[in-house]
Amino acid sequence: MTADPTTTSARKHFHHPYHPYDIQYEFMTALYECIEDGQVGIFESPTGTGKSLSLICGSLTWLRDHQRRTLENQVEVEAGDEPEWIVEHARRQKKQAVIEQKKEFETRLARIRAKELRQKQRYEHGDSKAKRIKIDQKLSTVDIDDEARYVLDQYESDDGHAQQKSTSRATGLEGVSTTSMELMQRLGLVAEPQPGQEDDLVLMDEIKIFYCSRTHSQLSQFADELRRVKISPELEIDSARDNSAQDWVVAEEIKHLPLGSRKNLCINSRVLKLGSTTAINERCLELQQPGTAQALKCSFLPNKENETLVNDFRDHTLATIRDIEDLGLLGKRLGICPYYASRSTIKPSEIVTLPYPLLLQKSAREALDITLKGHVIVIDEAHNLMDAISSIHSIIVSHAQLKRSRAQLGIYLQRFRNKLKGKNRVYVTQFVRLLDSLAGYLESKAANSKDKEAIVDAGDLMTGKGVDQINLYKLTRYLQESKLARKVEGYIVRVEEQEPQIEGEKRAATTPVLTHIQNFIQVLTNPAAEGRFFYSKSEDDVLCLKYLLLDPTFHFKEVVEEARAVVLAGGTMSPMDDYVRHLFAYVEPHRLKTLSCGHVIPNENLIAWPVTKGIDRMELDFTYEKRNSTAMIDVLGKSLNEMTKSIPDGVVVFFPSYAYLDQVIKRWQNPSVGGAKSIWSQLSEHKSVFQEFKEKAGVDDVLSEYSKAIDAGKGGLLLSVIGGKMSEGINFSDKLGRGVVVVGLPFPNMQSAEWKAKLEYAEKRAIRGGGSQGDGKFAAREFYENACMRAVNQSIGRAIRHQNDYACIMLLDRRYDTPRIKAKLPGWIKEGLREGAASKVFSDITDSLRAFFRAKSVF
């Protein structure tokens, strides 16, 4: 008898390509149950434990089981009063019809796989039999008669309802002609509008897994892992009941679709050369407007001539597992826009991969025609999810951007003022006044205040002439529906391209700013409790206004409520309290499921020390008040020097900030500090020393030189920063990271305007939830400490990347030996944490390090 797949009484087969570790099986089982029960899961599995494969195998096994149960239910026939043989015959006919349909599709995909295998080399060089589309028109050839496309359409809507609530607007296809829209609906590129039948459309969508991560690089790595997995088919036949079962077996490959933005997938070289995401988006939509000359329209957009290519694109995409770059190459090869053509591939897909912004922004989901209702959401690298949601829905504008927007509007009005009628004239005037009010506030603040930053009341931004009479909701709707920003920016591009160009000088790409300003105006309508506005003035006198989202709950709540199940996964999700309190406070406790896995390494492969005293028994206290003392910096250098003598190969040290790292290095390089030789020289005797710089350029070079020094036998000491480029996404496995040292705790500056607002919000939220004043203070403290410890835990996770790896982790600060901080470390670190650090002298710790590595036959 087959065990119920929703129970763990029998060891379930998860189709893992290797023999899974116990913790991997535990992870996959918990994931399966989480999805089956429709829960919200928070899963932690240290990097190096095969988390990606566990996510793939656990979720896809559930998906195929669910598909199988669903299909079996579809072919069942009610017996009624009919004889059994008639019922059985009807059941077999229904089953055969389902299987034949699936076999036809799978056979077509198999033929494509075989063809691509034969033509792989030719395809890699871009040589395809598909018709190629050449575009040699230049945007600068616009005729004067084309100015009509920049004129605003008549706008008369002034009620509470959208004037043009159309399919094109709802899906982000503003400007697409009716003919093109009808074709795209027929091809499945956008949902065909069916009033009153929205639920039916959702039910028709095959249930799938949406896998989300931070970057396309991480998603490409996920695709590589996906290629390793062979999963059981969706429909399996009981051969004992069906003699012809062997003819009905459907071999199914995993159907995967990577989604990306226009910037990732655009194949129109004239548009892609604009560079910025905003510019590419705006130019793409501009070229689709009905008023755009035919010669200037994008030739890759689906139309009647290339209708079959959309289906070819869908089939080729699903035939093999591709990453986002493969999708772009496929679009080029077939001569069809992969950004729009990929929409037809969403419904038949089983797993869709996409970066954070495309999942977390409702407007992005609508633009791609993505519905989450009833589907499974898996968010990997979710340790920074709350920050990501906040960042996506926050916005900053500079005084220069406001002035440039005002100037662009001035140029536009100089040409088209007399053509503005009725409501267009009213709303454009309001927009100009609002821009002047925002710029005026910044100018007044800079002139009358010495503050470098401050919290701003939204009302203070609306004090310009006549601005208090503006209905922001109506103005925002007008800006969206009239496409004012796009028309103005399109006209500005035209004007600038017609200006004489100096020979040999490359024309700078125009950066759209009006659309950005429009987004800022929209957040002025957000509920006051959700976020705060800030003023800032940089060292070089750049004036800015910023909106910071403080409460990510609302923007993620829709995802949680629509999806069947939501899973947050990461290597360092500890401490997990914040997700429960600040992201899922509305979720019933029985719907929440948490899991923190151990590591795959044996206990003897990790040693972790909270180091409370330095080499001369001086207490290590890197609080903001004490860390700047020369005595503290000196003892840090001397202690680090002794530790590096006891740790072979590579050692990575994480400092709380770039500024502090620079300060420490300057002190260590002082020849009068450290005795006969500077501390820097003493460190350099044992290992080659390298430094991470704040600028992105040169990171790869530093890592390369660090690796070479280790391979050469000298060893390397890499001085990095928590939250910097080395603390995320870099694997310091084996010799690259035999030791990880963390200096201090990177607490944010709680005196900054932003952190004052965050802590105030956390406190008030706890009190609104029924807590006392003391509970509010505690909640704010927890939020503050958790933000710090998530960053520490992410840095610690750079070491130990596989089962046979080993390393030491040294936490330099007396606070690491306190119960509150220890409790916020990942479980696998706590298991290797040595007790009694406060009673140990520094030599005891270095002796333990030598013994640890001696046991590994290194010393």
Side-chain angles (χ1 to χ4, degrees), residues 715-729:
L717 178 63
L718 179 57
L719 307 180
S720 309
V721 173
I722 299 172
K725 294 167 286 295
M726 304 293 185
S727 66
E728 282 202 48

Side-chain angles (χ1 to χ4, degrees), residues 203-372:
L203 291 174
M204 290 168 57
D205 197 3
E206 291 288 340
I207 191 167
K208 59 181 57 61
I209 298 160
F210 286 96
Y211 175 89
C212 178
S213 195
R214 288 188 306 114
T215 66
H216 281 293
S217 174
Q218 290 169 334
L219 294 173
S220 294
Q221 293 173 16
F222 180 84
D224 290 338
E225 296 291 292
L226 196 58
R227 293 184 182 101
R228 302 185 187 191
V229 179
K230 300 297 179 185
I231 207 83
S232 62
E234 180 177 319
L235 186 59
E236 292 178 344
I237 310 302
D238 184 355
S239 58
R241 295 178 61 185
D242 297 297
N243 296 328
S244 57
Q246 65 273 15
D247 298 326
W248 290 4
V249 173
V250 180
E252 290 184 85
E253 298 290 331
I254 298 168
K255 299 176 188 66
H256 165 246
L257 169 67
L259 290 178
S261 64
R262 287 183 177 88
K263 187 173 183 180
N264 299 119
L265 292 173
C266 178
I267 58 175
N268 186 330
S269 58
R270 296 182 307 158
V271 176
L272 197 57
K273 71 179 182 181
L274 296 176
S276 78
T277 300
T278 304
I280 290 171
N281 288 342
E282 292 302 311
R283 182 61 59 86
C284 173
L285 294 172
E286 179 189 341
L287 295 180
Q288 298 174 46
Q289 290 187 59
T292 304
Q294 188 61 37
L296 296 179
K297 287 183 178 293
C298 180
S299 302
F300 297 110
L301 193 71
N303 54 51
K304 290 182 179 180
E305 285 71 31
N306 60 25
E307 183 173 346
T308 58
L309 293 180
V310 176
N311 292 332
D312 286 346
F313 179 90
R314 178 199 63 205
D315 294 348
H316 277 78
T317 299
L318 296 178
T320 59
I321 294 172
R322 304 175 187 272
D323 61 23
I324 198 70
E325 292 183 0
D326 296 330
L327 214 61
L329 292 173
L330 177 62
K332 287 182 180 179
R333 196 159 67 229
L334 296 178
I336 194 73
C337 172
Y339 176 74
Y340 284 111
S342 60
R343 300 178 187 201
S344 67
T345 316
I346 294 176
K347 286 190 176 181
S349 299
E350 291 180 299
I351 184 163
V352 177
T353 54
L354 66 172
Y356 275 6
L358 298 189
L359 177 77
L360 300 178
Q361 280 183 297
K362 184 177 181 179
S363 59
R365 297 197 301 271
E366 290 177 344
L368 290 169
D369 194 30
I370 291 175
T371 175
L372 303 179

Side-chain angles (χ1 to χ4, degrees), residues 15-26:
H15 310 282
H16 198 284
Y18 311 108
H19 182 72
Y21 306 125
D22 287 342
I23 65 165
Q24 291 175 320
Y25 184 80
E26 178 188 10

Side-chain angles (χ1 to χ4, degrees), residues 107-124:
T107 301
R108 186 161 74 245
L109 297 184
R111 284 199 297 267
I112 290 173
R113 283 192 289 272
K115 181 179 178 181
E116 288 194 345
L117 188 61
R118 293 192 302 269
Q119 299 180 342
K120 183 177 179 181
Q121 185 152 5
R122 184 148 56 105
Y123 275 3
E124 284 177 348

Side-chain angles (χ1 to χ4, degrees), residues 727-743:
S727 66
E728 282 202 48
I730 306 295
N731 294 341
F732 293 106
S733 61
D734 300 316
K735 290 184 177 182
L736 293 178
R738 290 300 180 213
V740 170
V741 181
V742 181
V743 178

Side-chain angles (χ1 to χ4, degrees), residues 360-397:
L360 300 178
Q361 280 183 297
K362 184 177 181 179
S363 59
R365 297 197 301 271
E366 290 177 344
L368 290 169
D369 194 30
I370 291 175
T371 175
L372 303 179
K373 191 170 183 179
H375 299 300
V376 177
I377 313 298
V378 177
I379 301 179
D380 201 1
E381 301 297 328
H383 60 275
N384 60 353
L385 177 62
M386 289 188 293
D387 290 338
I389 296 172
S390 177
S391 176
I392 287 170
H393 294 93
S394 299
I395 187 169
I396 184 168
V397 296

